[in-house]
């Protein structure tokens, strides 16, 4: 069952209006503010209808609502937990911080789903979405506990399971995560790998070892050693 999307958007704007207004839990007040929200939301949704799809699957959206609620609940839980964890680490005398960048391959592919997950990561204290690679569908996430890769990935995978349903993705929750080849980072490491010496540094040392300046320095050190022996 499909329906035009702009009325649905108008209703969502009316619901958002209730939260913005902070309406008291009184039926008459709620209904009155909701009607005011519709009076503003429907014309706005109609005026901007060309910016989104013309029709929407109403039944599918209703089916996805519980998953959207679970996503929000899980995000709020992670938000509260991360606030306490970051506060503890900042106030701890030993400052147990292990910052690192974690490569996170994604199963979601739509722009809305990727943006939702990336923003959820950034809004959670202790993690930050640094970049997105559209060729490999991969996020680069900086975390204060980034060396514990599984701790960073656990909430992201849980959000992604719900997002797969909410945004009607091709993959389903529980599907395996696509593998992405290790991508060198600025610190010379790949995700999950060991620190690697940069090619530039190695080449510079090999070139400098055979340069005329290096040969002159070697000859001067040899001459200095002979004079000291004399």
């Amino acid at each position: 069952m499909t329906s035009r999307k702009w009325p649905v958007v108008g209703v969502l704007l009316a619901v958002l209006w209730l939260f913005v207004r902070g309406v008291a839990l009184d039926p008459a007040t709620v209904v009155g503010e909701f009607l005011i929200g519709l009076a503003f939301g429907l014309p706005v949704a109609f005026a901007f209808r060309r910016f989104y799809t013309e029709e929407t699957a109403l039944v599918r959206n209703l089916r996805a609502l519980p998953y959207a609620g679970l996503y929000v609940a899980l995000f709020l839980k992670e938000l509260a937990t991360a606030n306490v964890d970051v506060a503890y680490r900042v106030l701890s005398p030993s400052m147990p911080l292990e910052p690192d960048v974690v490569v996170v391959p994604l199963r979601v592919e739509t722009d809305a789903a990727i943006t939702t997950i990336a923003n959820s990561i950034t809004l959670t204290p202790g993690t930050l979405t640094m970049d997105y690679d559209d060729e490999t569908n991969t996020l680069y996430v900086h975390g204060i506990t980034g060396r514990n890769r599984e701790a960073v990935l656990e909430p992201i995978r849980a959000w992604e399971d719900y997002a797969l349903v909410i945004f009607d993705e091709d993959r389903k929750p529980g599907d395996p995560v696509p593998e992405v080849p290790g991508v060198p980072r600025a610190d010379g490491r790949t995700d999950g790998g060991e620190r690697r010496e940069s090619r530039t540094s190695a080449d510079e040392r090999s070139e400098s070892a055979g340069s005329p300046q290096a040969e002159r320095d070697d000859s001067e050190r040899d001459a200095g050693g002979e004079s000291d022996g004399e």
Side-chain angles (χ1 to χ4, degrees), residues 60 64 67-68 71 106-110 112-114 116-117 137 156-178:
R60 193 207 68 79
Y67 293 91
Y71 187 104
L106 297 175
R107 291 169 293 169
V108 295
E109 296 178 347
T110 60
I114 295 169
T116 299
I117 293 176
N137 193 30
I156 298 176
R157 293 301 175 214
W159 292 334
E160 193 177 25
D161 283 339
Y162 294 133
L164 288 170
V165 179
I166 296 169
F167 297 99
D168 196 22
E169 296 280 339
D170 293 333
R171 291 189 174 92
K172 302 302 178 184
D175 284 354
V177 179

Side-chain angles (χ1 to χ4, degrees), residues 101-186:
V101 177
V102 178
V103 179
V104 184
L106 297 175
R107 291 169 293 169
V108 295
E109 296 178 347
T110 60
D111 292 341
I114 295 169
T115 302
T116 299
I117 293 176
N119 286 339
S120 299
I121 293 169
T122 299
L123 290 172
T124 306
T127 53
L128 172 69
T129 302
M130 298 175 57
D131 197 6
Y132 170 70
D133 187 349
D134 57 351
E135 293 184 0
T136 58
N137 193 30
T138 301
L139 289 176
Y140 291 84
V141 178
H142 181 275
I144 61 172
T145 59
R147 296 189 185 278
N148 185 359
R149 186 172 184 270
E150 293 304 320
V152 176
L153 287 177
E154 184 178 356
I156 298 176
R157 293 301 175 214
W159 292 334
E160 193 177 25
D161 283 339
Y162 294 133
L164 288 170
V165 179
I166 296 169
F167 297 99
D168 196 22
E169 296 280 339
D170 293 333
R171 291 189 174 92
K172 302 302 178 184
D175 284 354
V177 179
E179 295 183 2
V180 177
V183 181
R185 299 203 306 266

Side-chain angles (χ1 to χ4, degrees), residues 13-223:
L13 291 176
V15 174
L16 180 63
W17 173 262
L18 295 178
F19 286 96
V20 172
R21 290 282 294 172
V23 179
L25 297 179
D26 176 65
T29 305
V30 171
V31 172
E33 291 292 340
F34 182 75
L35 292 176
I36 294 174
L38 281 179
F40 287 98
L42 289 175
V44 170
F46 180 81
F48 291 94
R49 66 189 183 282
R50 65 180 183 276
F51 292 106
Y52 40 81
T53 56
E54 185 176 352
E55 294 184 345
T56 183
L58 187 59
V59 174
R60 193 207 68 79
N61 291 339
L62 292 176
R63 193 181 301 119
L65 275 179
Y67 293 91
L70 291 172
Y71 187 104
V72 173
L74 179 60
F75 170 74
L76 293 176
K77 173 181 175 293
E78 292 295 333
L79 184 66
T81 303
N83 271 288
V84 174
D85 181 71
V86 171
Y88 164 75
R89 294 178 186 276
V90 171
L91 297 176
S92 177
S94 60
M95 291 287 286
L97 304 179
E98 295 182 332
D100 204 353
V101 177
V102 178
V103 179
V104 184
L106 297 175
R107 291 169 293 169
V108 295
E109 296 178 347
T110 60
D111 292 341
I114 295 169
T115 302
T116 299
I117 293 176
N119 286 339
S120 299
I121 293 169
T122 299
L123 290 172
T124 306
T127 53
L128 172 69
T129 302
M130 298 175 57
D131 197 6
Y132 170 70
D133 187 349
D134 57 351
E135 293 184 0
T136 58
N137 193 30
T138 301
L139 289 176
Y140 291 84
V141 178
H142 181 275
I144 61 172
T145 59
R147 296 189 185 278
N148 185 359
R149 186 172 184 270
E150 293 304 320
V152 176
L153 287 177
E154 184 178 356
I156 298 176
R157 293 301 175 214
W159 292 334
E160 193 177 25
D161 283 339
Y162 294 133
L164 288 170
V165 179
I166 296 169
F167 297 99
D168 196 22
E169 296 280 339
D170 293 333
R171 291 189 174 92
K172 302 302 178 184
D175 284 354
V177 179
E179 295 183 2
V180 177
V183 181
R185 299 203 306 266
D187 60 358
R189 293 183 58 190
T190 57
D191 181 54
E194 299 178 353
R195 183 177 295 275
R196 302 189 306 174
E197 183 180 15
S198 64
R199 181 182 180 87
T200 304
S201 300
D203 291 343
E204 288 177 352
R205 283 201 296 272
S206 62
E207 291 175 359
S208 62
S211 65
Q213 179 64 36
E215 293 177 357
R216 286 196 297 271
D217 293 341
D218 292 341
S219 61
E220 289 176 359
R221 282 197 295 271
D222 294 340

